[in-house]
Amino acid sequence: MDKPSMKAFLRDQRGSTIAVLAAGMVMVVGFTAFAVDVGYLYGLRSKLQATADAAALAGVNQLPDAGATTIAAIYYAGKNMPAADHGTVLTNADVVIGNWQAGTRTFTSAGDPLNAVRVVTQRSDDNGNPVGLFFGRILGIVDVNVSTMAIATRSTPACVVALKPDDTGVFVNSY
């Protein structure tokens, strides 16, 4: 090519729209893939948090019996996130019984009195059930770990208000 035709070639803008559209499509597809993976992780984290909340509440109702507390927490975790679909999200070691100090907002395991249960739910490598990504694999991120925590406390005295069975009034029971 001689010099005048090279200059003409470089100034020619025909077909440049295709290059810009191709680059733009790559970016749009990339952001969409990122949004799908992040949305999935956000939804799964929300489900793990609801499972931790339910397990902690079920466990705290069984205090001070440590065995019954752990069994109840694991049972309710399994009801919320079945092992067949999610693997084991809560193990015995993830259920901790302790003391909650409302004034300092601190949890102490095995404190006195035993009035709280801390539960950690997780989908992780440790449990053998990490969360697989859909499009992160393109970037080499095959799976990620997601965990949540909940603490439920039991205050005393507890009070239950309910209608009497014969609908004649209110029955109050404190224990």
PDB file of all heavy atoms in Angstrom, residues 19-33:
ATOM      1  N   ALA A  19     -17.659  -2.844  15.516  1.00  0.00           N
ATOM      2  CA  ALA A  19     -16.641  -3.032  16.553  1.00  0.00           C
ATOM      3  C   ALA A  19     -17.115  -2.466  17.888  1.00  0.00           C
ATOM      4  O   ALA A  19     -16.934  -3.087  18.941  1.00  0.00           O
ATOM      5  CB  ALA A  19     -15.342  -2.371  16.120  1.00  0.00           C
ATOM      6  N   VAL A  20     -17.747  -1.289  17.851  1.00  0.00           N
ATOM      7  CA  VAL A  20     -18.248  -0.684  19.084  1.00  0.00           C
ATOM      8  C   VAL A  20     -19.379  -1.529  19.665  1.00  0.00           C
ATOM      9  O   VAL A  20     -19.433  -1.770  20.884  1.00  0.00           O
ATOM     10  CB  VAL A  20     -18.718   0.772  18.820  1.00  0.00           C
ATOM     11  CG1 VAL A  20     -19.450   1.339  20.017  1.00  0.00           C
ATOM     12  CG2 VAL A  20     -17.536   1.645  18.433  1.00  0.00           C
ATOM     13  N   LEU A  21     -20.283  -2.002  18.839  1.00  0.00           N
ATOM     14  CA  LEU A  21     -21.377  -2.859  19.313  1.00  0.00           C
ATOM     15  C   LEU A  21     -20.855  -4.171  19.889  1.00  0.00           C
ATOM     16  O   LEU A  21     -21.367  -4.652  20.903  1.00  0.00           O
ATOM     17  CB  LEU A  21     -22.377  -3.143  18.188  1.00  0.00           C
ATOM     18  CG  LEU A  21     -23.327  -2.003  17.848  1.00  0.00           C
ATOM     19  CD1 LEU A  21     -24.182  -2.377  16.643  1.00  0.00           C
ATOM     20  CD2 LEU A  21     -24.207  -1.672  19.032  1.00  0.00           C
ATOM     21  N   ALA A  22     -19.864  -4.745  19.279  1.00  0.00           N
ATOM     22  CA  ALA A  22     -19.295  -5.999  19.782  1.00  0.00           C
ATOM     23  C   ALA A  22     -18.684  -5.786  21.167  1.00  0.00           C
ATOM     24  O   ALA A  22     -18.908  -6.586  22.090  1.00  0.00           O
ATOM     25  CB  ALA A  22     -18.246  -6.528  18.812  1.00  0.00           C
ATOM     26  N   ALA A  23     -17.940  -4.702  21.337  1.00  0.00           N
ATOM     27  CA  ALA A  23     -17.353  -4.416  22.649  1.00  0.00           C
ATOM     28  C   ALA A  23     -18.443  -4.125  23.672  1.00  0.00           C
ATOM     29  O   ALA A  23     -18.372  -4.566  24.826  1.00  0.00           O
ATOM     30  CB  ALA A  23     -16.395  -3.229  22.549  1.00  0.00           C
ATOM     31  N   GLY A  24     -19.465  -3.396  23.266  1.00  0.00           N
ATOM     32  CA  GLY A  24     -20.583  -3.097  24.166  1.00  0.00           C
ATOM     33  C   GLY A  24     -21.338  -4.342  24.584  1.00  0.00           C
ATOM     34  O   GLY A  24     -21.749  -4.477  25.740  1.00  0.00           O
ATOM     35  N   MET A  25     -21.535  -5.276  23.657  1.00  0.00           N
ATOM     36  CA  MET A  25     -22.238  -6.520  23.977  1.00  0.00           C
ATOM     37  C   MET A  25     -21.459  -7.356  24.987  1.00  0.00           C
ATOM     38  O   MET A  25     -22.046  -7.967  25.876  1.00  0.00           O
ATOM     39  CB  MET A  25     -22.504  -7.333  22.708  1.00  0.00           C
ATOM     40  CG  MET A  25     -23.587  -6.743  21.827  1.00  0.00           C
ATOM     41  SD  MET A  25     -25.171  -6.608  22.676  1.00  0.00           S
ATOM     42  CE  MET A  25     -25.582  -8.304  22.875  1.00  0.00           C
ATOM     43  N   VAL A  26     -20.152  -7.367  24.850  1.00  0.00           N
ATOM     44  CA  VAL A  26     -19.325  -8.104  25.807  1.00  0.00           C
ATOM     45  C   VAL A  26     -19.522  -7.520  27.200  1.00  0.00           C
ATOM     46  O   VAL A  26     -19.673  -8.248  28.186  1.00  0.00           O
ATOM     47  CB  VAL A  26     -17.834  -8.077  25.389  1.00  0.00           C
ATOM     48  CG1 VAL A  26     -16.944  -8.578  26.509  1.00  0.00           C
ATOM     49  CG2 VAL A  26     -17.630  -8.893  24.128  1.00  0.00           C
ATOM     50  N   MET A  27     -19.559  -6.197  27.311  1.00  0.00           N
ATOM     51  CA  MET A  27     -19.760  -5.558  28.608  1.00  0.00           C
ATOM     52  C   MET A  27     -21.154  -5.847  29.150  1.00  0.00           C
ATOM     53  O   MET A  27     -21.310  -6.132  30.343  1.00  0.00           O
ATOM     54  CB  MET A  27     -19.532  -4.049  28.492  1.00  0.00           C
ATOM     55  CG  MET A  27     -18.083  -3.675  28.310  1.00  0.00           C
ATOM     56  SD  MET A  27     -17.792  -1.909  28.082  1.00  0.00           S
ATOM     57  CE  MET A  27     -18.752  -1.176  29.356  1.00  0.00           C
ATOM     58  N   VAL A  28     -22.164  -5.771  28.319  1.00  0.00           N
ATOM     59  CA  VAL A  28     -23.542  -6.032  28.770  1.00  0.00           C
ATOM     60  C   VAL A  28     -23.681  -7.471  29.254  1.00  0.00           C
ATOM     61  O   VAL A  28     -24.273  -7.735  30.304  1.00  0.00           O
ATOM     62  CB  VAL A  28     -24.548  -5.715  27.646  1.00  0.00           C
ATOM     63  CG1 VAL A  28     -25.930  -6.258  27.971  1.00  0.00           C
ATOM     64  CG2 VAL A  28     -24.617  -4.224  27.393  1.00  0.00           C
ATOM     65  N   VAL A  29     -23.148  -8.409  28.519  1.00  0.00           N
ATOM     66  CA  VAL A  29     -23.214  -9.814  28.923  1.00  0.00           C
ATOM     67  C   VAL A  29     -22.442 -10.025  30.227  1.00  0.00           C
ATOM     68  O   VAL A  29     -22.896 -10.742  31.124  1.00  0.00           O
ATOM     69  CB  VAL A  29     -22.687 -10.733  27.799  1.00  0.00           C
ATOM     70  CG1 VAL A  29     -22.499 -12.153  28.286  1.00  0.00           C
ATOM     71  CG2 VAL A  29     -23.636 -10.700  26.618  1.00  0.00           C
ATOM     72  N   GLY A  30     -21.297  -9.382  30.369  1.00  0.00           N
ATOM     73  CA  GLY A  30     -20.511  -9.501  31.598  1.00  0.00           C
ATOM     74  C   GLY A  30     -21.258  -8.967  32.810  1.00  0.00           C
ATOM     75  O   GLY A  30     -21.296  -9.608  33.862  1.00  0.00           O
ATOM     76  N   PHE A  31     -21.870  -7.795  32.685  1.00  0.00           N
ATOM     77  CA  PHE A  31     -22.633  -7.228  33.798  1.00  0.00           C
ATOM     78  C   PHE A  31     -23.868  -8.066  34.114  1.00  0.00           C
ATOM     79  O   PHE A  31     -24.240  -8.215  35.271  1.00  0.00           O
ATOM     80  CB  PHE A  31     -23.030  -5.778  33.513  1.00  0.00           C
ATOM     81  CG  PHE A  31     -21.905  -4.805  33.702  1.00  0.00           C
ATOM     82  CD1 PHE A  31     -21.520  -3.975  32.668  1.00  0.00           C
ATOM     83  CD2 PHE A  31     -21.223  -4.724  34.904  1.00  0.00           C
ATOM     84  CE1 PHE A  31     -20.479  -3.075  32.835  1.00  0.00           C
ATOM     85  CE2 PHE A  31     -20.185  -3.833  35.085  1.00  0.00           C
ATOM     86  CZ  PHE A  31     -19.810  -3.004  34.038  1.00  0.00           C
ATOM     87  N   THR A  32     -24.492  -8.615  33.104  1.00  0.00           N
ATOM     88  CA  THR A  32     -25.655  -9.482  33.329  1.00  0.00           C
ATOM     89  C   THR A  32     -25.241 -10.741  34.072  1.00  0.00           C
ATOM     90  O   THR A  32     -25.927 -11.163  35.017  1.00  0.00           O
ATOM     91  CB  THR A  32     -26.317  -9.848  31.990  1.00  0.00           C
ATOM     92  OG1 THR A  32     -26.694  -8.649  31.318  1.00  0.00           O
ATOM     93  CG2 THR A  32     -27.532 -10.728  32.191  1.00  0.00           C
ATOM     94  N   ALA A  33     -24.144 -11.333  33.677  1.00  0.00           N
ATOM     95  CA  ALA A  33     -23.651 -12.528  34.366  1.00  0.00           C
ATOM     96  C   ALA A  33     -23.324 -12.214  35.816  1.00  0.00           C
ATOM     97  O   ALA A  33     -23.655 -12.979  36.727  1.00  0.00           O
ATOM     98  CB  ALA A  33     -22.409 -13.067  33.644  1.00  0.00           C
TER      99      ALA A  33
END
